[in-house]
Amino acid sequence: CILLYGVCGSGKSTIGAALRAKISLSIFIDADSLHPESNRNKMKNGIPLTDADRAVWLAACGNAVLAKSDNSTVFLACSALKYKYRHILLESITRKRRLVAVFLKVPPEIIKRRLESRKDHFMPVSLVDSQFKDLEEDVHTKTPLP
C-alpha cells in the first residue's frame, strides 16, 4: 500500500488517481469517501475533527485497504496528519500488506488558493490553519515506520 498523506488540497487524490490510471492491477482509495457523515458535517461547518472523530475513519481506511486483493497495489489518499494516525494505519494495514508513506508537502498559501477554487468539497478554506497545526511532518524524529 502506498499512503499519500498531507493536508487538504496537497494533491493526494489527484496523484493517487493518476497513479491508478498508469499502473495495472492498482486500486485507488480516497479516504475522504470513508468519512462518516458526522465528520463531513463538522468540517462543512468549519469545525476541526478531533482524534476521536478520526478514530472510526482511520479504522475504515485500514479496513478498505485490507479488503482489496493481495495482488493489487493500493494507493490510499489520506491526510494522516499526525504520526499516531499513520501508526494506526501501519498497524492495521501491515497485518496483510507492506506500507510505504509518501508525504506531499505544499505551502499554506498554495493550499488556500487550491481550496478557494474547489467546488462541491466539504473542506472549507477556514480549516487550512487547523490542518497545518495538526500536521506532524517530521517522522525522522519518531520511530520510523517499517
Side-chain angles (χ1 to χ4, degrees), residues 3-7 54 57-58 61-62 76 78-94 99-104 131 134-146:
L3 168 64
L4 303 167
Y5 78 96
V7 298
R54 289 185 176 103
W57 172 64
L58 290 167
C61 291
L76 173 62
C78 178
S79 56
L81 298 173
K82 294 181 181 181
Y83 177 79
K84 66 181 173 182
Y85 303 159
R86 295 187 292 278
H87 195 73
I88 289 168
L89 292 171
L90 170 79
E91 287 181 337
S92 171
I93 293 168
T94 58
L99 176 69
V100 176
V102 178
F103 174 52
L104 304 178
Q131 291 255 303
D134 282 350
L135 179 62
E136 295 173 358
E137 67 177 79
D138 187 8
V139 296
H140 300 294
T141 62
K142 306 279 187 180
T143 304
L145 299 177

Side-chain angles (χ1 to χ4, degrees), residues 6-63:
V7 298
C8 55
S10 61
K12 302 177 297 288
S13 297
T14 301
I15 292 168
L19 289 168
R20 163 58 192 103
K22 295 285 183 189
I23 299 172
S24 63
L25 294 177
S26 66
I27 296 165
F28 171 61
I29 300 171
D30 189 338
D32 283 349
S33 69
L34 301 173
H35 272 293
E37 195 62 32
S38 58
N39 284 6
R40 290 179 188 198
N41 287 335
K42 281 182 99 170
M43 289 183 281
K44 281 180 189 175
N45 291 307
I47 302 168
L49 298 180
T50 64
D51 288 351
D53 294 325
R54 289 185 176 103
V56 172
W57 172 64
L58 290 167
C61 291
N63 290 335

